[in-house]
Amino acid sequence: RAKSDGRHIARFFDPGMQAAADRQSALETGLRDGLARHQFVLFCQPQFSIRGRLVGAEVLVRWRRENGALVSPGDFIGLAESSGLILPLGHYVLEESCRALARWRGDRALGKLKLAVNVSVQQLRGPDFPAEVAAILARSGAPSRKLCLELTESIFADDKQDLADKMHQLCGQGLCFSLDDFGTGYSSLAYLKRFPLAALKIDRSFVHDVHVDPDAGPIVKAIIALARQLKLEIVAEGVEHEEQRDFLARSGCYALQGYLLGAPMPIEDFESMYGAAGHA
Ligand code: C2E
Ligand code: MG
Ligand code: MG
Ligand code: MG
């Protein structure tokens, strides 16, 4: 008895677990402070049509810590989601993205681009999300037709009628939706028809070995054929090699995103690299 209690207590004070919990709460405090101190910055990755024309960009958030370290979303989005901080963070990202779209209006090259912004399921769950987006669009003066919200399949685990209603409300404001990381989640094909989607993004795990794995190629071809039948645009993510690009081109893919074409970069760099203003 005493022995099992002892073991129980010993487990409770497991120094490894305690250390992990301490790291989590330090990270959460860091995230909270980081938000207050505007340490989150927007990176942009270009998206090109299969013929090589720049058609858009995806916003990817980064956390620039006080010590100068640049932290990738993979290391903090999960905690931002479980702690609720994704709500102010998501708001900030959307607001900055819309300010960029408003700035780009006056630029011959940038003004044509669509900007894709990742949105978490928690954000869409909020009853006020459509109104929040409307307010951000109005305040920023961004053209809503250039804004695209990227959702992952996890969204479909939620109340589907509520989700469909919100998506329709948002579409009514002029923006559009794409389904990110397609094929990795638990999406039913029926959802592709039920929700107002404009595009599918083929997950990079499929793109990765499209030219070497005899199974990956047919899967990507099937996704592209499905998207075409449903009149959805298609973006392949994670394109790193020419062989992948060539395969995707032959398979009828519409747009490409990946290190081969351009890595994510600070939004200011993106603007000076692709904007017309500087070269006019
Ligand atoms: P995602 O939306 O699927 O974004 C694509 C990820 O692939 C990005 O990682 C991008 O940097 C990376 N990538 C782009 N091209 C290549 C390539 O050729 N090869 C490889 N291996 N990777 C490539 P990143 O920036 O680390 O973002 C990771 C994820 O974090 C994103 O995946 C997205 O789900 C999430 N995320 C990023 N920004 C936000 C945000 O503002 N809000 C929310 N809710 N999630 C975000
Ligand atoms: Mg994305
Ligand atoms: Mg993706
Ligand atoms: Mg992905």
Side-chain angles (χ1 to χ4, degrees), residues 19 88 120 127 165-166 179:
S120 284
D165 289 346
K166 282 192 184 122
L179 194 54

Side-chain angles (χ1 to χ4, degrees), residues 251-264:
S251 309
C253 185
Y254 170 74
L256 307 174
Q257 184 180 343
Y259 298 156
L260 176 69
L261 304 121

Side-chain angles (χ1 to χ4, degrees), residues 16-37:
M17 270 174 63
Q18 189 58 47
D22 287 348
R23 268 198 307 279
Q24 286 284 95
S25 71
L27 189 62
E28 192 179 323
T29 307
L31 277 177
R32 213 177 286 281
D33 288 352
L35 267 168
R37 296 180 194 170

Side-chain angles (χ1 to χ4, degrees), residues 58-258:
E58 177 174 8
V59 172
L60 296 159
V61 70
R62 301 283 181 266
W63 179 17
R64 203 183 290 284
R65 302 202 70 164
E66 224 138 40
N67 62 8
L70 202 57
V71 188
S72 287
D75 294 329
F76 63 83
I77 290 287
L79 185 61
E81 286 178 334
S82 61
S83 65
L85 287 170
I86 193 69
L87 296 176
L89 177 61
H91 183 95
Y92 177 78
V93 170
L94 204 54
E95 196 152 51
E96 289 299 310
S97 300
C98 286
R99 283 159 52 108
L101 276 175
R103 257 193 326 271
W104 293 2
R105 263 195 135 125
D107 185 283
R108 195 154 32 81
L110 299 173
K112 297 202 176 93
L113 306 183
K114 276 203 171 190
L115 194 56
V117 179
N118 293 286
V119 167
S120 284
V121 59
Q122 278 90 336
Q123 289 175 270
L124 260 166
R125 253 179 219 152
D128 300 330
F129 186 66
E132 179 184 337
V133 175
I136 291 174
L137 283 167
R139 237 188 347 260
S140 63
S144 61
R145 301 215 166 267
K146 301 290 181 205
L147 180 64
C148 183
L149 302 183
E150 291 196 0
L151 310 177
T152 57
E153 292 164 309
S154 63
I155 207 100
F156 297 126
D158 272 43
D159 177 348
K160 289 167 196 60
Q161 194 53 52
D162 177 64
L163 174 65
D165 289 346
K166 282 192 184 122
M167 286 175 72
H168 281 293
Q169 279 179 53
L170 287 156
C171 286
Q173 297 179 32
L175 51 85
C176 70
F177 290 94
S178 65
L179 194 54
D180 208 351
D181 306 335
F182 182 70
T184 56
Y186 47 114
S187 203
S188 144
L189 294 182
Y191 296 159
L192 299 181
K193 263 298 183 208
R194 173 148 181 208
F195 297 94
L197 294 165
L200 294 185
K201 295 189 79 174
I202 309 179
D203 189 66
R204 68 169 186 255
S205 60
F206 297 113
V207 172
H208 186 257
D209 14 57
V210 86
H211 57 302
V212 284
D213 177 350
D215 291 330
I219 290 176
V220 165
K221 283 193 167 163
I223 295 175
I224 294 172
L226 176 70
R228 290 188 153 246
Q229 284 293 320
L230 294 173
K231 308 253 182 314
L232 296 169
E233 277 185 14
I234 186 111
V235 182
E237 62 177 27
V239 182
E240 297 180 353
H241 304 291
E242 282 174 16
E243 294 92 329
Q244 295 166 342
R245 180 186 56 197
D246 296 345
F247 180 93
L248 291 160
R250 283 200 306 279
S251 309
C253 185
Y254 170 74
L256 307 174
Q257 184 180 343

